[in-house]
Amino acid sequence: MSGGVSIVWFRRDLRVEDNPALAAGVRAGQVIAVYIWAPEEEGHYYPGRVSRWWLKQSLALLDSSLKNLGTSLVTKRSTDSVASLLEVVKSTGATQVLFNHLYDPLSLVRDHRMKEVLTNNGIAVRSFNADLLYEPWEILDDKGRPFNTFTEFWDRCLSMPYDPESPQLPPKKIISGDLSKCPSETIIFEDESEKGSNALLARAWTPGWSNADKALAAFMNGPLLEYSRNRRKADSATTSFLSPHLHFGELSVRKVFHLLRIKQVLWANEGNTAGEESVNLFLKSIGLREYSRYMSFNHPYSHERPLLGHLKFFPWRIDEGYFKAWRQGRTGYPLVDAGMRELWATGWLHDRIRVVVSSFFVKVLQLPWRWGMKYFWDTLLDADLESDALGWQYITGTLPDGREFDRIDNPQFEGYTFDPNGEYVRRWLPELARLPTEWIHHPWDAPEYVLQAAGIELGSNYPLPIVKLDAAKSRLQEALAQMWQYEASSRAILENGLEEGLGDSTEATSLIAFPQDMDEMDMDSNAIRATTHTTTTIRHYEDQMVPSMTTSLLRGGEEEESSSDVGNQAEDSRAEVPINQGMDDTRMGRTDDMQQVNDITAALRSMDDLQAESSNTSGSTRERDGGVVPVWSPSTSSFNETFVGEDSTYLQRHPQSHQLVNWRRLSQTG
DNA sequence: GGCTGATTAAT
DNA sequence: TTAATCAGC
């Protein structure tokens, strides 16, 4: 292979350090580094404004690093990244393509297709792990099945018989391939209207892999020590600020892991238990990121479907007024509103506050969790499909180890926990700045003279609670009762064998469309065309395993009518929304009966999908450093047996729930 | 040192 | 809510 030309396809691995694909290219001879911008392939998940801003800076820094090493980054604007890649291969005479793995559902499918297309064109394709401590298929329980609770997963990660790969140094020099026939194309990452807002971001953030390294050092030499003590503050100053760097792969998580471990040993030797504990906690948050990829790989639809089936029947409120009030920070609950204002203003939110606002969204407002997830996607600087899907499913209670759905968190109490002095609220809600701490998290209880002295007129310059908590509690009980009822009737339909007629006669989907005021954007059907047949290619150990996904499963995303940029919409309409003077519950639209019928039929349909799923592919094993690593197969992935285990307390308390999505039963029939 | 009620964190 | 840890007896 020496002397050959390799394409190194950069995606979310925007670093030269500890980048296995790049290193392999350098070893093999000449390198052509390529970045392809094809956001239309992301469908609904076209990157938001702040995310694009970050990407632009990060690519510029990567390019300059590559230039110092001897080549430069070729950028391409495309609507079909596989076709573009093939073009680059042909125009440069490359003989192999190297890339690092991604685990979001769209990438899994696209990368698999890419591999097939290139291989059919006689091009060698090799892929690597650069994003995780361990590949998802390496972490299995004693029976060889994937874990379905985080704690078990993470315990296993920390007790693996072999350590995560050690981070590699950057190459000293790159021999560039001939770029003359492969010119870069200009990529437009921001439009004129976005530039003003983006200018502010540069004050707080410095994207790019070398800056990520500095941020890591700053965190490890500073806030890390106090991490366990400080993590309960709404104030972000004590967090690592690494998540956007990690999202774009500017920072190697393996490097983070190894450095943390070294630090931990040092502190342990000094008897510094607080420091030791802090490292454990921070590692856990790294672990959650790992787990999000793990879940996405094993359940490639988890960004749009609840993993516990009964939630399909929850009667979400399709209420754009609620949605808007939440986005604008006008719910009347100061901690929630402060969070939403901070998110809007900065693209950032402390993890604790993300939990607060999303829990409020799902349980008090009863809005569909995917709307909230989409808004996070559009506005967060560290927007990350896998992490956000995991987070929202956790909050919604659709994971076996998620929060319990029927418990409503109280923003007032959370306020005094996370923001005891009200500083956070005062910073983001200037209209409440003069309110004494005693009332800062529940202004609706404040005596009139206190409000007057603080210049607050509730319902005028700050809203009354959009929904009172006791009302929210009873509404939630009703909704849950309804959910179980729908679930029971759909189960009855199933057991009576009526599913065929229903399942085939409708195009319904269990997905609730994003609000109509978002721009329509169709998915590129090529991008999500699933491969239902199996290739017999021999896998290299570093190869990407591909969970098989049926077309019908993926089509859920296509069929959906909607949307792209919630964030822009929010911006446009921000000023127009009057303060909500305590909304009348009866005005709130529920998903109507038709929607419920659709949901039920869709649930039935998805069972067909699952059955189709289980008939695909076959498993095998292969060597890895002397150990045997299972290759992905349906029996170790996805849909069978998962979440019906006895280990889930939620399911124990709600035994009805797993009748519907009993994947063990499904895979037997499939 | 062991019991008991309070506190807290929970993926 | 519950399990685990902690303070105080």
Side-chain angles (χ1 to χ4, degrees), chain A residues 459-584:
Chain A
S460 172
N461 61 358
Y462 185 74
L464 284 160
I466 185 170
V467 180
K468 293 227 175 81
L469 278 196
D470 47 359
K473 276 174 194 159
S474 53
R475 278 181 11 172
L476 189 59
Q477 290 309 322
E478 281 169 39
L480 285 169
Q482 219 172 83
M483 174 182 84
W484 290 120
Q485 199 186 315
Y486 286 130
E487 192 269 347
S489 50
S490 97
R491 189 153 32 88
I493 291 172
L494 270 181
E495 283 162 5
N496 290 329
L498 299 176
E499 69 272 31
E500 287 168 36
L502 270 175
D504 292 335
S505 65
T506 175
E507 286 300 302
T509 160
S510 66
L511 299 180
I512 296 166
F514 294 121
Q516 290 161 1
D517 58 6
M518 305 184 199
D519 296 329
E520 175 82 21
M521 180 176 320
D522 286 326
M523 278 192 167
D524 177 357
S525 56
N526 283 331
I528 58 164
R529 192 185 63 209
T531 48
T532 50
H533 58 281
T534 316
T535 54
T536 50
T537 328
I538 296 164
R539 299 186 188 281
H540 300 276
Y541 107 69
E542 65 268 27
D543 264 359
Q544 172 82 66
M545 301 298 137
V546 184
S548 105
M549 287 178 270
T550 65
T551 25
S552 51
L553 183 61
L554 282 159
R555 205 173 290 130
E558 270 181 306
E559 287 168 356
E560 199 172 349
E561 300 173 8
S562 71
S563 107
S564 93
D565 200 339
V566 194
N568 290 344
Q569 180 58 34
E571 180 169 40
D572 295 339
S573 56
R574 259 174 106 66
E576 301 164 16
V577 180
I579 294 162
N580 196 324
Q581 315 238 357
M583 280 182 145
D584 177 3

Side-chain angles (χ1 to χ4, degrees), chain A residues 187-297:
Chain A
I187 303 176
I188 310 290
F189 287 106
E190 56 186 0
D191 62 40
E192 287 304 317
S193 70
E194 293 171 334
K195 284 186 176 161
S197 313
N198 285 346
L200 293 170
L201 289 170
R203 291 194 202 165
W205 298 93
T206 43
W209 73 274
S210 52
N211 296 313
D213 217 44
K214 288 177 198 154
L216 174 62
F219 174 65
M220 289 191 55
N221 296 324
L224 175 61
L225 183 58
E226 303 280 294
Y227 189 76
S228 67
R229 200 175 321 161
N230 285 336
R231 82 207 130 98
R232 298 163 81 253
K233 295 180 184 164
D235 198 320
S236 304
T238 56
T239 62
S240 73
F241 296 113
L242 293 177
S243 56
H245 294 294
L246 286 168
H247 169 76
F248 286 106
E250 297 173 355
L251 188 57
S252 159
V253 77
R254 296 184 295 225
K255 178 174 177 176
V256 176
F257 182 81
H258 283 284
L259 289 177
L260 280 167
R261 270 295 178 77
I262 290 167
K263 197 91 179 175
Q264 189 171 36
V265 170
L266 278 174
W267 279 338
N269 287 341
E270 293 168 5
N272 185 343
T273 51
E276 223 185 321
E277 179 57 17
S278 285
V279 173
N280 278 336
L281 272 166
F282 185 69
L283 275 176
K284 198 172 103 177
S285 65
I286 297 287
L288 284 166
R289 177 183 175 281
E290 297 273 311
Y291 191 55
S292 73
R293 271 80 179 143
Y294 186 77
M295 292 299 271
S296 178
F297 178 83

Side-chain angles (χ1 to χ4, degrees), chain A residues 333 336 359-360 363-365 408-414 441 444 465-476:
Chain A
Y333 290 90
V336 174
S359 169
F360 185 86
K363 298 184 183 179
V364 177
L365 300 180
I408 290 185
D409 299 305
N410 189 326
Q412 176 183 338
F413 301 147
E414 290 175 311
H441 291 299
W444 57 87
I466 185 170
V467 180
K468 293 227 175 81
L469 278 196
D470 47 359
K473 276 174 194 159
S474 53
R475 278 181 11 172
L476 189 59

Side-chain angles (χ1 to χ4, degrees), chain A residues 204 233-239 241 329 334-346 348-350 353 418-435 437 440-441 462 574:
Chain A
K233 295 180 184 164
D235 198 320
S236 304
T238 56
T239 62
F241 296 113
L335 187 64
V336 174
D337 292 341
M340 295 310 293
R341 306 267 183 104
E342 180 185 20
L343 172 58
W344 178 256
T346 67
W348 184 261
L349 215 47
H350 190 291
I353 307 301
F418 301 133
D419 180 31
N421 303 316
E423 290 153 7
Y424 179 72
V425 164
R426 291 194 187 90
R427 185 177 329 140
W428 294 106
L429 302 177
E431 62 267 47
L432 300 184
R434 294 162 62 199
L435 196 59
T437 302
I440 193 78
H441 291 299
Y462 185 74
R574 259 174 106 66

Side-chain angles (χ1 to χ4, degrees), chain A residues 148 307-311 397-402 404 484 487 641-663:
Chain A
N148 51 40
L307 290 176
L308 293 181
H310 56 275
L311 257 296
T398 61
L399 301 174
D401 52 358
E404 292 161 21
W484 290 120
E487 192 269 347
E641 305 199 39
T642 330
F643 303 135
V644 290
E646 307 73 42
D647 49 331
S648 165
T649 54
Y650 191 91
L651 290 182
Q652 275 168 357
R653 280 183 294 108
H654 301 288
Q656 318 87 301
S657 72
H658 50 97
Q659 295 301 322
L660 175 67
V661 185
N662 187 330
W663 290 328

